[in-house]
Amino acid sequence: MQWRTEDLRAVEVGPRKDRVVVAGPGSNLTIPGIIVAEIVRSLAMTGRVTRIEVDLSTHSMSGLHRAPSLAAWHGDQSLDSIVGFHAPENSRRRTQTFIDLIGSDVSVAVAYAWPGIDNSWIQQFLKVAKAKGVTTAVLCASVPKSGPTQVTSLVEIIGRANRVYVGDISDATALASSFRSHGPVVESHPALSLKGKSSRGPGHDIAAFVPRDNVQSLSSLLAAFNAIPEAWISDYRMSLVMRYSGGAVPELVASSHYPSYVTLIGDDITSDDLAELCTNSSALSVADPATDSRAFSSAVDSGIATVLMATAILPQVGLGYVGGLLADMRYPASISVALNHALRLKELRFPSPETWGQLARRLRPTSSELHLVEVLETAND
């Protein structure tokens, strides 16, 4: 549910501190924005959430543009417990928005930070929340190429928080050392880590999975691969996993523009070989996966950027997986765009969908904790 800023006064304030406010990037064209959406969705499973979308800049590495996010597509069915607002770009008006939205019914105010983009608004957000006596938490992504030095550069911005969560243990250690005994409690959580993949060279290894004897899907995939400029093709390899009968499939691969850069695997592949293929690939694509698809499950387990090539009916896989991209299997250009974006994200290891619920349980107070707050407030009155 999306509200306008001028409707702020219409937000109903409940008698209990059971609402969580989450502020962070909002665009579903960026990985940070998609991650915030998953955090909000998980929190909304157990109570009311107000989401404040703050987009002061974009992250060039994370743009999805013409390759829609699979997680965002699943999340289009918004929950009634979520109310969303866009924060104004003007600093003064943005502060007023924070003041209006962080009310007496808010139990926790959460800000999401991504190293390398403009996180300056977090200081305003924390200042408002602290002035209203609301518990504050900052979630900070741990991403490749952002060592402890870049994370500790956020110390002044996030220092007013009660708690700080980061994805990488070394980042948590560096932050805790910078804060010393006067700063927030610092913890690590796997939902915030996008590190973990081995460093990749300049080459692009694509693993593609196509249903048995589905020549039409194979033709679209090969057409997308054929679109790679000849000056670049030496850096590309595609492992094509596809069971087939007869000679149509091998002939189609042999007649493609870059047959020497495509390896056709027609035999059954073991679970260990599948896991190794995912681990060694830069990106993965799966055509019309079933709900029990081993290929897609292995991709999620390995955290690899994955292109789901679908027809008009989209498979019900990938809920909560922020490393998934959508492509229309009927159009090679759509597959090409999605694969290019997946390759741009090859250094990221995406979190497991299960981690969002785990993080939400850490952020939202339990009913017993809320009752304790009410008892203490009554006693103070």
Side-chain angles (χ1 to χ4, degrees):
M1 182 186 302
Q2 192 71 40
W3 286 34
R4 300 168 301 171
T5 303
E6 53 266 34
D7 293 331
L8 297 182
R9 302 289 192 266
V11 177
E12 294 185 2
V13 178
R16 301 183 56 163
K17 289 181 175 294
D18 61 351
R19 182 163 61 93
V20 176
V21 174
V22 181
S27 173
N28 63 5
L29 299 182
T30 65
I31 296 298
I34 297 166
I35 288 177
V36 172
E38 289 305 313
I39 295 171
V40 168
R41 185 182 60 81
S42 296
L43 284 166
M45 295 297 180
T46 56
R48 297 183 300 150
V49 183
T50 298
R51 180 182 181 183
I52 308 175
E53 299 180 3
V54 187
D55 292 304
L56 303 187
S57 63
T58 58
H59 194 295
S60 60
M61 185 185 73
S62 305
L64 301 180
H65 308 294
R66 290 171 57 199
S69 163
L70 179 59
W73 177 81
H74 279 299
D76 278 348
Q77 299 175 350
S78 59
L79 300 171
D80 292 337
S81 53
I82 302 174
V83 178
F85 297 89
H86 291 287
E89 294 184 8
N90 177 272
S91 178
R92 183 183 59 80
R93 291 179 57 207
R94 186 167 59 246
T95 298
Q96 187 59 51
T97 296
F98 294 154
I99 292 172
D100 291 335
L101 288 176
I102 303 176
S104 59
D105 61 333
V106 173
S107 59
V108 183
V110 181
Y112 183 83
W114 179 282
I117 66 175
D118 189 349
N119 299 292
S120 59
W121 59 270
I122 294 178
Q123 286 181 299
Q124 298 172 296
F125 181 78
L126 296 177
K127 183 178 180 180
V128 170
K130 297 287 280 188
K132 295 197 174 191
V134 174
T135 300
T136 56
V138 173
L139 312 179
C140 185
S142 291
V143 298
K145 297 182 180 179
S146 68
T149 302
Q150 188 169 7
V151 174
T152 54
S153 67
L154 298 174
V155 165
E156 291 188 8
I157 293 176
I158 65 179
R160 298 178 65 96
N162 295 111
R163 287 186 175 271
V164 173
Y165 297 89
V166 292
D168 189 73
I169 294 177
S170 63
D171 290 345
T173 302
L175 275 176
S177 178
S178 298
F179 288 132
R180 299 186 180 180
S181 60
H182 305 294
V185 176
V186 182
E187 301 179 30
S188 63
H189 197 283
L192 303 173
S193 178
L194 289 98
K195 294 182 178 181
K197 295 186 72 172
S198 58
S199 58
R200 300 286 183 184
H204 301 308
D205 296 307
I206 301 169
F209 297 82
V210 179
R212 181 185 181 95
D213 288 328
N214 193 327
V215 176
Q216 183 177 0
S217 298
L218 176 60
S219 298
S220 293
L221 177 63
L222 290 175
F225 194 72
N226 290 342
I228 299 171
E230 292 190 4
W232 300 355
I233 193 60
S234 60
D235 291 331
Y236 286 76
R237 296 289 187 279
M238 183 165 69
S239 297
L240 174 60
V241 182
M242 180 180 182
R243 288 179 293 174
Y244 59 89
S245 56
V249 169
E251 290 174 3
L252 193 58
V253 173
S255 62
S256 65
H257 193 55
Y258 299 121
S260 60
Y261 295 93
V262 179
T263 300
L264 178 61
I265 303 173
D267 301 324
D268 289 336
I269 186 169
T270 67
S271 297
D272 290 341
D273 290 339
L274 180 58
E276 183 178 1
L277 183 60
C278 290
T279 300
N280 295 331
S281 297
S282 308
L284 186 142
S285 64
V286 186
D288 273 339
T291 53
D292 60 349
S293 168
R294 285 197 308 142
F296 197 89
S297 295
S298 295
V300 172
D301 290 341
S302 66
I304 187 174
T306 302
V307 175
L308 191 155
M309 301 181 295
T311 50
I313 301 176
L314 296 175
Q316 296 301 310
V317 296
L319 177 65
Y321 186 58
V322 296
L325 304 172
L326 279 173
D328 191 327
M329 196 157 51
R330 298 167 296 181
Y331 302 102
S334 175
I335 300 173
S336 178
V337 169
L339 281 174
N340 282 333
H341 282 299
L343 291 172
R344 291 171 60 229
L345 302 172
K346 68 178 184 178
E347 293 182 345
L348 302 181
R349 188 184 192 281
F350 295 97
S352 168
E354 288 77 18
T355 60
W356 305 126
Q358 298 167 6
L359 179 61
R361 287 190 290 273
R362 296 285 290 276
L363 294 174
R364 184 185 284 280
T366 64
S367 57
S368 60
E369 289 171 334
L370 289 171
H371 178 67
L372 178 60
V373 170
E374 291 179 345
V375 170
L376 292 174
E377 288 182 343
T378 302
N380 290 333
D381 291 341

